[in-house]
Amino acid sequence: MASLGKASRGVIKDYPNFDADHDAELLRKAMKGLGTDESAIISILTTRSSNQRLKISLQYKTLFGRGAGTDEKCLIEILASRTNQELKAIIQAYKEEYGKDLEESIVSDTSGHFQRILVILLQANRDESTTYDEGAVKIDAQELFQAGELKCGTDESMFLSIIGSKSVHHLRQVFKEYMKISGYQIEESIASETSGNLRSTLLAVVKCIRSVPGYFAETLHNAMKGSGTDDDTLIRVMISRSEVDLLDIRKVFYENYGRSLHSMIKSDTSGDYRNALLSICGGEDN
């Protein structure tokens, strides 16, 4: 998974000479009266970092008394893709914002093995070592094989404990070994042996273990392919990854789907919505 210590591979940086009060005033002018100045809104919101947008939102509410405008898919996406540090920051921010414990909120709204994998991920305690032991790799691969393909009924607990807590480098080797002994990719076994939200979560975690940019490239592609666009997912991913690894996501998107993210957004959206997304996207790839 991406490390916070690495240089950002995002496309949006902190805006120089930032002034939250000034931006809030400009947004107010752009939205009041007859009609809306969409270009001014897009220009401001797609060139400020997330931290700066939060400051604008707070200042806007302070000045004008208005706030600027959880589903399971969103919950799975976030918990499967974030690093230990990022998850700890989310947990702390949730507590500060809502006065509640995030784990308690999730436990009260979920159940079964789906609840268990979410709680495991929420511990933000994934092994972060960058080395692996070949013996341990073989043991875990065999444990997964025994828990799934060789068992009448799946031992979900084994999948949860190994996939939910072992290091990225270790698990990448486990997946290779699993393929050798079973003849299946781990994703194939998960898809056939589990169902519902548990299946979705485990698949998301595995895909993020393999490649976080790859996971989000697929998520964006799925949000736009076929009839209709999953706007919530498209907006959430574009904004949340714009300062992290959108350049990497764009690269993988082009390699995997033979067209650029920019071109797909351009063809599958329209109007000011499209202009905003294209501004966040930051450029064409070829």
Side-chain angles (χ1 to χ4, degrees):
M1 295 185 183
S3 170
L4 292 180
K6 293 182 180 178
S8 171
R9 291 287 293 160
V11 295
I12 296 179
K13 315 292 183 185
D14 280 338
Y15 190 78
N17 302 315
F18 172 68
D19 184 336
D21 186 78
H22 178 67
D23 283 349
E25 290 281 1
L26 290 177
L27 286 173
R28 174 63 169 169
K29 289 178 182 178
M31 291 185 284
K32 74 176 183 178
L34 294 174
T36 303
D37 185 353
E38 289 89 354
S39 61
I41 297 171
I42 291 170
S43 175
I44 293 171
L45 296 184
T46 63
T47 57
R48 273 53 167 182
S49 68
S50 60
N51 186 52
Q52 289 173 334
R53 289 195 301 268
L54 286 173
K55 291 177 180 177
I56 294 171
S57 177
L58 178 61
Q59 190 62 12
Y60 190 94
K61 189 172 184 179
T62 300
L63 291 172
F64 308 114
R66 296 181 182 179
T70 304
D71 60 30
E72 290 158 340
K73 182 188 291 186
C74 176
L75 191 61
I76 291 168
E77 178 191 299
I78 291 172
L79 295 187
S81 65
R82 270 46 171 187
T83 64
N84 288 347
Q85 278 182 284
E86 289 168 335
L87 285 172
K88 289 173 183 176
I90 289 169
I91 292 166
Q92 180 179 345
Y94 186 91
K95 181 74 172 180
E96 292 173 355
E97 180 70 20
Y98 301 107
K100 299 178 181 178
D101 182 80
L102 179 55
E103 182 177 328
E104 290 178 3
S105 295
I106 286 176
V107 167
S108 67
D109 288 339
T110 59
S111 61
H113 291 298
F114 176 52
Q115 179 191 93
R116 288 187 61 194
I117 186 62
L118 295 182
V119 169
I120 288 172
L121 295 173
L122 267 177
Q123 302 315 299
N125 197 34
R126 183 178 294 282
D127 183 352
E128 294 182 325
S129 62
T130 58
T131 60
Y132 62 90
D133 176 77
E134 290 188 8
V137 165
K138 291 181 182 297
I139 290 172
D140 279 350
Q142 189 64 43
E143 291 277 14
L144 289 174
F145 185 49
Q146 295 285 344
E149 297 294 335
L150 291 186
K151 189 177 180 66
C152 181
T154 305
D155 180 1
E156 290 91 350
S157 297
M158 186 62 65
F159 277 82
L160 305 191
S161 62
I162 292 176
I163 294 175
S165 62
K166 299 297 180 75
S167 79
V168 170
H169 292 80
H170 172 83
L171 285 172
R172 286 175 181 166
Q173 298 305 312
V174 169
F175 299 159
K176 290 179 182 178
E177 184 66 22
Y178 185 88
M179 178 65 183
K180 290 179 183 178
I181 63 177
S182 72
Y184 296 99
Q185 295 287 5
I186 189 71
E187 291 93 332
E188 295 178 89
S189 293
I190 290 171
S192 65
E193 298 291 333
T194 61
S195 61
N197 288 322
L198 174 61
R199 174 200 286 166
S200 299
T201 307
L202 288 173
L203 287 175
V205 173
V206 168
K207 289 172 183 177
C208 286
I209 292 295
R210 292 194 188 276
S211 167
V212 171
Y215 168 71
F216 281 114
E218 181 182 351
T219 300
L220 287 170
H221 186 263
N222 289 341
M224 291 183 282
K225 74 176 183 180
S227 59
T229 301
D230 182 351
D231 296 308
D232 288 343
T233 297
L234 182 57
I235 293 167
R236 182 176 64 248
V237 173
M238 290 295 293
I239 291 175
S240 67
R241 309 310 294 186
S242 64
E243 297 170 59
V244 183
D245 56 2
L246 192 53
L247 287 173
D248 295 323
I249 293 169
R250 280 168 40 182
K251 181 175 183 292
V252 175
F253 193 98
Y254 185 81
E255 291 172 349
N256 289 355
Y257 304 109
R259 66 182 299 191
S260 69
L261 176 59
H262 189 278
S263 69
M264 193 161 185
I265 290 172
K266 194 171 183 179
S267 64
D268 284 58
T269 59
S270 61
D272 295 308
Y273 174 48
R274 175 173 61 189
N275 294 338
L277 289 175
L278 290 177
S279 181
I280 293 171
C281 187
E284 183 64 271
D285 300 288
N286 48 45

